[in-house]
Amino acid sequence: MSSSTLKAGNNATTNNNNNNTKSGSTKTINLPLPTITTTTPNNTTTTANSNNTSTTTNTTAPNNQPNTTNNTPPPNNNAANNNNTNPNNKSVKENFLTKFKKEVKEIIKEFKKPELVMGAATQFGEQKDIEMKVELKETNFRRFERIMRRTFVDRFTIPELSIIASFWLFLVFFATVYNYVTVTYRVAILTFKQDATYAGVFALLDILMDFVIWFDIFLSFMKRYAGRDGIYVYDFKLTSKNYVKSKYFILDIVSALPIDYFILIADTRWGVWARMNRIIRILRFGFYFGQFELFYTFFSTNIIAIGQYIFIFFITTHALTCIWYIIVVTDPEQTVQIWTQKQDILSDVTFGHFSRYVRGFLWCLTSMTGYGGTSPVTLPQVIFAQVVNLVGVVLFIVVIGTVGSIVEDLGQEKSERLQQLNALQQYMTYRKIPEGIRSKIERYYQFVWKARSGWDEQVVLGDLPWYLQTEIYLSMNQELLEKVSLFKVEGATKTFITSMVMALRPQVVLPGSKVVKKGEIGREMYFILKGYVEVISEDNPPIVFATLKEGQFFGEISVVLDQTRNATVRAGTYCDLYVLTKESLKQIEEDFPLPVQKIREKAMERLNTPQKK
C-alpha cells in the first residue's frame, strides 16, 4: 500500500552517497516550493527542494534484492545546470512547476477524505500549505459554494453575524407586504377602470420586489440550519434538502412564479390577476414576526406581539375593502347608495380612486365592530355583509383578547413593583425610619427599575449553564477587563481572569452615598463599571483628594492586606460597581497563588505611594 508524506520547509539537502542505506530511487528537483517526499510501493522516494540547483538520481535496489546500480550519474547533468543561465530558463521552470503540481495532485488524490488532507498538512506543513492542498481537493462547485456562502449567504441570513441580515429580513418582509397590498388594490381598481397611470407606476417597484423575493429563495437553499444535535449544518446538499422539505418551500415557489410577466404583455387590464399568486406569501407573516422577536432586541417581545396582531387586523380589513370596492362598482348605483347610505359614493373623486377605497375601509371597520347599521339590497351585498360581521367577531375575540392580555401583563409588572414599594414604605413607617433614609431607598428602587427594569443578574442568569454564564460575564466586562490594571499582573492567565470575573457581584450606589468609610473593617473591594467616586476626608465640608472613574478600583488594601479602611470613598453619581469579597479572593488564591501575591504587592505600592510624596 502506498504512503505519502507532505513536508514544508525551505532548507533541505540531498546527499548523493554510494553508501546510501535507503532503498529505492531518490529524485531531487529544484523549485521555490515546499518539499514533497513521496514513497511509492517500489520504495521510491521523491524529494522537491527550492534551494538545490542540480538534479541527481540515485537508484538502489530494494532491500531484498542485490544492489545493481550505485551512484549512477544522471544523463546531461551539465545541460541541466546550464539551463539556469539559459534565456529559456523560464520555460524550463514552468515545466518543472507543472510536473510538481501534477505530483502534488496525485498525492492528494490518495486521501479520499478532506480531513486526512488537513491532518497530514497540519502535521508536516504550514498554513499556506494547508490552504493550497484543500483548494486542490475541493471541486469547482464546492469552491463556488464556499465563496457564495462567505460573500452573500451568511451576511444576508445570519443577523447575529451581520447587520445586513437584519436589514435584509425587514426588506423581504416589506416586499411580501408590498405585493399583498398593491396586487389586491390594483385588481380591485384596474379590472374595471383602464388607467395607464396605475398600470405603469408600479412596474419598476414590481420588478425590484420580485428580485428581492427571488434572491431570498436562492439564499434559502444555502441557509444554515441547526441539526438534531444542535450543530449548524452548512453542506449545500443538506441545506437544500432541508429547505425543500420545509413547509415554506411550495409556498415560496408558487408565490414567485412570474406568470404575470407574460400575460401583462397581452392584456394590461386582466393581466394583473395573474399576479395574484404573489399574495400567497403573506402567510409567512408568522415566521417574520418570530424572527423580529429574536433579532430586533431594541423592541420588547410584547411590543412586537402587539404589532403582529395589529398587522393581522390591517391585512384582513384591506382584503375586505378591496372586495367591497368590486361590489360597489359592479352593483346597480341605486342599490349601492342604499347599502352604503352615501349618495355620492360613486361620484367622489377627491383623491381619485383612492377616495372610494378610504370610504370602503371605513365601512369595513364600522361593520366589523358592529356599528355599521347598513341595509344590503342585492345578494352579493348580503353575503359580503355577513362575512364582514363574522370576520369582525373572530378578529375581535382573538386579536383584542390577546392584545388585552399582553397589555395586562405589562401593567402587572408595574403593579408588582408598586406593591413592593408600598410594602417597604409601610415597613419604614412602622419602624419609624428617618425621612432621609426613606428618600434614599425610594431613589434606589426608582433607579434600579428604570436602568435595569428591576431584574437581578444572578436571578436572570441563574438557570444558564456555567460555561454560558462565563461567556456572558466576560462579554459584558470586556471593557472593564481592558481598563483595570489589576487583571494584568504577572501570572494573570485567562483562567484566573475568568475566576475573578465570575466572583464579581453587581451593586448600585446612589449619588452622595459613602461606599466605604475610613477606619471600618473592609471585606470587599470595588471595580467601577459606570459613574465615578471621590476619595474624601472626614472634614466638614470634606476635601476631595482624588476622583476615580470607570475602569478603576478601590478598597483592595483592606481586603488584600487585612487592614482597616484608610480612606473614605463617596459616590459622585449613580454608580454601577462590581464587588469582590475577601472570601472569594481567598478561594481564588488557592488555585492561583502567584497573581494574588502580585496583587498584594500592587496594593502595598499604592499604600506606600502617599508616604513617598
Side-chain angles (χ1 to χ4, degrees):
M1 179 178 180
S2 63
S3 62
S4 300
T5 307
L6 294 148
K7 296 201 304 181
N10 295 325
N11 297 322
T13 61
T14 303
N15 213 354
N16 185 11
N17 198 335
N18 295 332
N19 298 324
N20 190 352
T21 57
K22 291 185 179 181
S23 61
S25 62
T26 302
K27 183 180 180 181
T28 303
I29 304 173
N30 174 30
L31 282 177
L33 295 167
T35 302
I36 303 296
T37 303
T38 307
T39 304
T40 64
N42 296 327
N43 296 330
T44 301
T45 303
T46 302
T47 305
N49 188 275
S50 61
N51 294 331
N52 199 344
T53 59
S54 63
T55 303
T56 305
T57 304
N58 293 335
T59 305
T60 59
N63 294 332
N64 56 356
Q65 297 179 5
N67 191 354
T68 58
T69 56
N70 288 329
N71 193 16
T72 301
N76 298 329
N77 189 24
N78 295 331
N81 292 333
N82 293 332
N83 284 336
N84 293 330
T85 58
N86 195 297
N88 297 326
N89 187 30
K90 182 177 180 181
S91 60
V92 174
K93 288 187 176 181
E94 289 178 353
N95 293 333
F96 283 153
L97 182 61
T98 303
K99 293 179 180 180
F100 178 78
K101 288 184 177 180
K102 184 177 180 180
E103 291 179 2
V104 171
K105 291 181 180 179
E106 291 176 354
I107 294 171
I108 295 177
K109 286 181 180 178
E110 294 181 5
F111 297 90
K112 294 183 179 180
K113 296 182 180 180
E115 293 82 4
L116 297 178
V117 179
M118 291 292 293
T122 304
Q123 183 176 0
F124 298 102
E126 296 182 358
Q127 186 63 30
K128 292 183 179 179
D129 302 323
I130 297 172
E131 294 176 356
M132 178 189 68
K133 295 169 183 56
V134 173
E135 288 179 0
L136 289 174
K137 181 65 179 178
E138 67 179 359
T139 61
N140 293 332
F141 178 78
R142 292 295 183 185
R143 186 179 297 108
F144 171 77
E145 178 189 356
R146 174 170 54 82
I147 295 174
M148 286 298 300
R149 182 175 300 283
R150 185 181 304 172
T151 307
F152 293 105
V153 180
D154 289 348
R155 291 185 180 181
F156 279 81
T157 60
I158 308 178
E160 61 265 29
L161 298 183
S162 174
I163 190 65
I164 299 177
S166 299
F167 172 76
W168 178 255
L169 176 64
F170 179 79
L171 183 60
V172 176
F173 172 74
F174 176 80
T176 303
V177 177
Y178 166 84
N179 282 330
Y180 176 83
V181 174
T182 59
V183 169
T184 51
Y185 178 79
R186 289 147 61 188
V187 163
I189 293 176
L190 298 183
T191 301
F192 307 98
K193 179 71 175 179
Q194 186 76 340
D195 194 332
T197 303
Y198 279 95
V201 72
F202 295 106
L204 180 60
L205 290 176
D206 288 347
I207 296 174
L208 291 177
M209 296 300 108
D210 287 344
F211 173 78
V212 171
I213 297 298
W214 293 335
F215 188 66
D216 184 68
I217 294 175
F218 168 75
L219 294 176
S220 298
F221 280 99
M222 303 181 68
K223 183 179 180 180
R224 72 177 189 182
Y225 70 94
R228 294 181 178 180
D229 53 0
I231 300 176
Y232 286 113
V233 178
Y234 291 91
D235 184 74
F236 175 74
K237 292 182 180 179
L238 296 178
T239 55
S240 300
K241 186 177 180 180
N242 179 70
Y243 176 58
V244 171
K245 288 185 175 181
S246 67
K247 59 182 179 182
Y248 296 117
F249 174 72
I250 297 179
L251 179 69
D252 293 344
I253 296 300
V254 173
S255 64
L257 293 177
I259 305 174
D260 55 306
Y261 287 94
F262 301 99
I263 298 182
L264 280 175
I265 298 175
D267 189 349
T268 58
R269 182 177 181 181
W270 295 97
V272 70
W273 283 85
R275 196 173 174 82
M276 285 291 288
N277 62 319
R278 301 294 197 282
I279 69 175
I280 303 176
R281 193 179 173 90
I282 199 65
L283 298 176
R284 255 182 174 262
F285 74 90
F287 168 79
Y288 292 128
F289 279 96
Q291 296 295 301
F292 293 158
E293 291 182 359
L294 290 177
F295 303 117
Y296 290 2
T297 55
F298 44 85
F299 292 119
S300 67
T301 55
N302 291 328
I303 297 299
I304 295 178
I306 293 175
Q308 179 178 357
Y309 287 105
I310 294 176
F311 175 77
I312 295 174
F313 193 86
F314 165 74
I315 61 175
T316 304
T317 307
H318 168 77
L320 294 174
T321 303
C322 293
I323 298 175
W324 176 91
Y325 190 101
I326 295 175
I327 296 176
V328 167
V329 174
T330 55
D331 279 2
E333 182 176 355
Q334 185 176 2
T335 61
V336 171
Q337 292 176 352
I338 296 174
W339 180 38
T340 60
Q341 298 180 356
K342 298 291 182 182
Q343 299 297 324
D344 59 343
I345 188 66
L346 298 177
S347 60
D348 185 7
V349 291
T350 307
F351 298 102
H353 302 291
F354 188 70
S355 300
R356 200 173 300 165
Y357 172 83
V358 173
R359 288 180 178 273
F361 201 90
L362 176 62
W363 185 93
C364 291
L365 283 178
T366 55
S367 298
M368 290 169 66
T369 55
Y371 295 99
T374 59
S375 301
V377 179
T378 62
L379 181 61
Q381 295 174 4
V382 173
I383 296 175
F384 180 72
Q386 292 176 350
V387 171
V388 171
N389 291 331
L390 180 61
V391 171
V393 171
V394 174
L395 282 179
F396 272 88
I397 291 177
V398 176
V399 176
I400 302 302
T402 306
V403 173
S405 177
I406 295 174
V407 173
E408 184 179 355
D409 292 340
L410 293 175
Q412 182 179 0
E413 183 179 357
K414 184 177 180 180
S415 177
E416 292 177 354
R417 295 179 183 177
L418 292 177
Q419 291 179 2
Q420 183 179 359
L421 185 59
N422 290 334
L424 184 60
Q425 289 175 344
Q426 293 177 4
Y427 173 80
M428 291 188 294
T429 301
Y430 174 74
R431 291 298 183 181
K432 298 180 181 180
I433 305 297
E435 188 64 29
I437 299 178
R438 296 180 61 174
S439 177
K440 289 182 179 180
I441 294 175
E442 292 176 359
R443 288 167 57 199
Y444 171 81
Y445 274 106
Q446 290 175 359
F447 174 76
V448 171
W449 286 337
K450 182 179 180 180
R452 301 188 177 185
S453 301
W455 42 256
D456 185 355
E457 288 184 4
Q458 298 181 16
V459 175
V460 173
L461 305 179
D463 293 336
L464 295 178
W466 181 259
Y467 73 94
L468 285 180
Q469 292 186 30
T470 303
E471 292 183 11
I472 291 174
Y473 278 111
L474 289 175
S475 176
M476 290 191 306
N477 301 316
Q478 182 65 34
E479 186 176 354
L480 180 67
L481 296 176
E482 294 176 355
K483 291 181 178 180
V484 176
S485 59
L486 200 65
F487 296 110
K488 301 176 183 179
V489 296
E490 181 182 352
T493 61
K494 186 176 180 179
T495 308
F496 166 76
I497 295 175
T498 301
S499 300
M500 290 281 287
V501 170
M502 295 302 294
L504 299 178
R505 293 295 175 262
Q507 180 175 316
V508 176
V509 182
L510 300 177
S513 301
K514 293 182 179 180
V515 185
V516 298
K517 295 181 180 179
K518 184 177 181 179
E520 68 179 5
I521 299 175
R523 294 184 176 86
E524 303 92 7
M525 63 180 298
Y526 301 87
F527 299 87
I528 305 174
L529 183 63
K530 292 182 180 180
Y532 69 92
V533 297
E534 299 171 334
V535 182
I536 61 175
S537 66
E538 295 294 322
D539 301 331
N540 192 12
I543 301 173
V544 178
F545 295 128
T547 300
L548 304 178
K549 300 181 180 180
E550 297 177 3
Q552 295 181 298
F553 57 93
F554 60 93
E556 79 286 355
I557 295 176
S558 299
V559 174
V560 175
L561 303 179
D562 293 328
Q563 295 184 4
T564 58
R565 304 288 190 188
N566 61 350
T568 299
V569 179
R570 179 184 64 188
T573 182
Y574 286 102
C575 296
D576 276 342
L577 307 178
Y578 275 116
V579 182
L580 178 65
T581 62
K582 183 184 296 186
E583 291 76 12
S584 299
L585 186 62
K586 288 182 178 179
Q587 292 179 359
I588 296 174
E589 186 178 12
E590 295 178 0
D591 299 326
F592 308 95
L594 177 59
V596 175
Q597 179 61 32
K598 295 299 179 180
I599 292 176
R600 284 198 176 91
E601 295 176 1
K602 247 187 178 181
M604 185 64 69
E605 292 177 4
R606 294 186 62 173
L607 180 63
N608 296 332
T609 298
Q611 298 177 359
K612 292 180 182 180
K613 292 181 179 180

